[in-house]
Amino acid sequence: MAKIKPPHDSGGHKKEYFPLKNEKEDSFHLQTADVSIDIGKECVKESRLSRFRELKVFSSLALYFLKKCWMTCSAAVFVIFVIYWCYGGIIAFVLFLFALSGFLFQVGDYFLYHPDQPPQSRLYVPLPSLFGLPAESIFLKTDDDVKIHAFFIKQDASIIGHVPTILYFHGNAGNIGHRLPNAQGLYQFCGCNILLLEYRGYGHSEGVPSEEGLYLDAQAGMKFLLQVPYIDKSKIIVFGRSLGGAVAIDLVTHSEFAKHVLALIVENTFTSIPDVAKAMFNSKLINCLPTWAFKNQFLSLKKIKRVKTPSLFISGKADAIIPPSMMKLLCRESGSPIKRLSSFEFGTHNETWQCKGYYRIINLFADDVMLAQREMQQWPCGFEGGGEIY
């Protein structure tokens, strides 16, 4: 083992070094002739900074809620005060708990949907032309009459009707312009058309995001593709990353849409929002909350059991937001007879698509599914009872 020697000072001044010195319990000092570092005080400072960050999060959350519902909050406080004055503290305490549950129910949107991150995402949506992609900017109407924005990226007219078309659902932040680098790779290496759908409340889309609203947005995108005359409607691939994975899973649980879907591809998605909350916050309060206490639930684990569409699960093992174990569980519980889990060792939550072999995995799975479909048409009895492809 190499020995570390004190630096030699060629000048006349010689710096003296001293060992760790313990002057009192749990307080250590590293000293030189010129510097003294109190490690105990530094730890206390770090602890205070951590508590300050937590306080900042909760205070910003409270301000957000007050800003959105200040009239309701004021009325609730007044009612609780009057009841406390007239009937005592027990009833007021019960009402306080009821109000707190309502508060937690409403702030689910604050934690889940981030259409303004990064800043100006509602104003500026990068165009496909910046990435050399031939695309059309379109607006669709949902069943509840909300106008949503989308980019329809098309292959050359000579092959547009023979290649797969991907219906792409993005994550919980930003806009579809931020997904164009990934769409460029799908366009070039997978040779497909891509409909990049922008949820309500995101980018140039109207409305406010909600769980049911996002489901309606997905259905609007699927209905649009089924009306396009020049694409092969038997080769529609539904793709979703993170939050988009939950939206994609819900879409293929509807038989009227699933029958047109060649394959389902989900990437770094979750089993449910309550499961994500418990994993992220690791709080006894959160762990005790029932599922109905969450405004947004996205119960993908429950829905994936009803999915019969061939499914590819792409998981980044370095994902620090969604535990990769959730992807394994979704794959295991999937009701599809054809399913595959592909993991990337260094794949992070938003950058797994940059890993080597990413587009090759998608191409191989799509080819396997089309081959399996042809074989099922030729020898249908050989596939009775289903079989799994891993």
Side-chain angles (χ1 to χ4, degrees), residues 133-282:
L133 296 172
E136 180 183 357
S137 181
I138 60 176
F139 286 89
L140 311 176
K141 273 292 185 72
T142 64
D143 287 344
D144 59 343
D145 205 33
V146 176
K147 187 166 69 173
I148 58 174
H149 180 229
F151 287 143
F152 193 21
I153 303 170
K154 309 173 188 177
Q155 291 288 336
D156 186 81
S158 60
I159 61 171
I160 191 172
H162 305 287
V163 299
T165 299
I166 294 180
L167 177 54
Y168 191 114
F169 301 128
H170 61 81
N172 69 329
N175 57 52
I176 53 176
H178 301 136
R179 278 74 187 183
L180 286 173
N182 184 203
Q184 183 184 42
L186 293 169
Y187 179 84
Q188 293 178 349
F189 301 118
C190 298
C192 55
N193 310 307
I194 307 150
L195 179 63
L196 272 169
L197 193 75
E198 201 160 53
Y199 307 135
R200 61 185 64 202
Y202 284 77
H204 294 161
S205 295
E206 297 178 350
V208 178
S210 66
E211 181 175 359
E212 292 301 322
L214 266 59
Y215 294 156
L216 291 176
D217 296 344
Q219 293 172 21
M222 190 66 180
K223 290 176 181 178
F224 168 79
L225 289 179
L226 295 177
Q227 293 173 357
V228 176
Y230 46 81
I231 67 169
D232 188 343
K233 298 174 184 61
S234 67
K235 295 181 180 178
I236 296 176
I237 297 175
V238 176
F239 173 92
R241 175 180 294 126
S242 189
L243 177 63
V247 177
I249 289 171
D250 179 82
L251 181 65
V252 296
T253 59
H254 297 272
S255 58
E256 66 269 29
F257 301 122
K259 64 183 180 182
H260 299 287
V261 178
L262 174 69
L264 166 70
I265 303 177
V266 292
E267 178 182 327
N268 295 333
T269 190
F270 45 79
T271 51
S272 71
I273 290 298
D275 290 344
V276 174
K278 292 171 184 177
M280 290 183 66
F281 294 100
N282 194 24

